[in-house]
Each structure stands twice: as structure tokens, then as C-alpha cells.
């Protein structure tokens, strides 16, 4: 069930990061610290899942969506009542196509598995155009697995 901001109070973080590999690393670190401040320690299942998805989406943004002189954006929204955390990563590359689905098979190369990981970790994920330019790739992670809360 997607987050519905109109019906509940949400806790969120928004930040910009340089469209470099160092910027993507900083986005992941900020996400982990933010989750820790909300009761999900660094080594918890929830925090590790968020870290992995942020790392993959931020790395894709700086690798495939980089526009010199423009930053990328990260938004995290935690909805404890719904048991969801939403991750959104923006880039400025309007000309790049939006990801529609994870690859259906493991690629032979050393890269290309990031969206497969996101697909496995997320309950929902997708992308949308961003105005005035670029795109947003988002993923929602459930805080529960098979009826139990992920360990905190």
C-alpha cells in the first residue's frame, strides 16, 4: 500500500547531494543516520535495507543521470502507522529513459544488478518524470516481513 501523505503525519528528510560517487555515499550515510535517529539502529534489518536501496538508487542517479553542475536529491519518508519507508532519488537528466522494471535475468557483467536488488527489497518501486527536468526513482519498503516487524 503506497504512502498517503494526506491521511497521516509523516516523518521525512530531504537533502541534495553532489552527482558524484562520493555524493551517493553521503546520501547512504545520511539515510542510515536518519533511520537510526528514528529507532532503527545501523545494523537493523530496516536500516540495512534502506541503506542498500538508497545506495543503488543514488549510484544509478550519479552514473546514469548525472548532469554537470546539477545535484541529485534524496527524500526519505517514514510512515510508522502504515509500516512503510519511502525512498526517492532525483536526478537532472531529462533525456535518459525512465527505468520501467528490473532486468529479468542476471547480467553477465560486473554491474547491472542494482534494480534487481531494489525489486527484491521493495514492496513497490518505479519512476516518474520530475519537473522542470529529470526524473525521480522511488521505492517503498515495508517495515514488516511475514507478519513481524523487521528487527530494530
Amino acid at each position: 500500500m503506497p504512502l498517503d501523505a494526506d491521511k497521516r503525519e509523516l516523518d521525512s528528510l530531504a537533502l541534495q547531494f553532489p552527482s558524484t560517487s562520493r555524493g551517493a555515499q553521503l546520501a547512504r550515510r545520511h539515510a542510515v543516520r536518519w533511520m537510526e535517529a528514528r529507532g532503527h539502529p545501523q545494523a537493523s534489518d530496516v536500516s540495512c535495507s534502506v541503506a542498500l536501496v538508497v545506495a543503488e538508487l543514488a549510484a544509478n542517479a550519479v552514473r546514469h543521470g548525472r548532469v554537470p553542475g546539477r545535484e541529485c536529491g534524496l527524500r526519505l519518508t517514514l510512515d510508522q502507522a502504515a509500516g512503510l519507508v519511502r525512498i526517492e532519488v532525483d536526478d537532472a537528466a531529462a533525456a535518459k529513459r525512465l527505468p520501467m522494471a528490473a532486468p529479468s535475468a542476471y547480467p553477465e557483467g560486473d554491474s547491472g544488478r542494482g534494480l534487481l536488488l531494489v525489486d527484491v527489497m521493495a514492496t513497490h518501486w518505479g519512476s516518474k518524470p520530475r519537473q522542470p527536468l529529470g526524473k525521480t526513482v522511488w521505492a517503498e519498503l515495508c517495515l514488516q516481513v511475514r507478519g513481524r516487524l523487521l528487527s530494530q
Side-chain angles (χ1 to χ4, degrees):
M1 173 182 291
L3 293 176
D4 187 349
D6 295 333
K7 296 183 180 174
R8 56 181 66 90
E9 190 173 321
L10 304 175
D11 189 4
S12 62
L13 165 76
L15 62 91
Q16 298 292 113
F17 61 93
S19 58
T20 64
S21 59
R22 176 78 175 130
Q25 184 181 43
L26 290 171
R28 182 188 56 77
R29 286 184 181 167
H30 278 287
V32 169
R33 287 187 193 128
W34 187 80
M35 290 299 293
E36 187 169 34
R38 274 126 196 96
H40 300 281
Q42 207 172 6
S44 69
D45 292 343
V46 172
S47 184
C48 289
S49 297
V50 167
L52 181 123
V53 171
V54 168
E56 292 300 334
L57 296 183
N60 283 349
V62 301
R63 182 171 184 194
H64 303 293
R66 183 176 187 278
V67 172
R70 299 203 182 256
E71 293 186 323
C72 295
L74 170 68
R75 275 183 307 287
L76 300 174
T77 305
L78 182 61
D79 185 342
Q80 291 283 9
L84 291 172
V85 60
R86 182 178 175 101
I87 300 161
E88 297 180 15
V89 175
D90 301 327
D91 67 47
K96 301 283 184 170
R97 69 179 176 84
L98 301 172
M100 301 307 284
S104 59
Y106 290 103
E108 297 297 322
D110 292 334
S111 65
R113 294 177 182 87
L115 289 180
L116 284 171
L117 294 172
V118 171
D119 193 50
V120 168
M121 302 298 295
T123 57
H124 301 92
W125 74 275
S127 62
K128 59 185 179 181
R130 189 181 70 139
Q131 297 303 323
L133 67 135
K135 65 184 167 300
T136 299
V137 181
W138 59 270
E140 292 179 350
L141 282 65
C142 186
L143 300 178
Q144 295 186 22
V145 174
R146 296 183 195 150
R148 69 175 177 86
L149 283 175
L150 289 175
S151 65
Q152 295 185 359

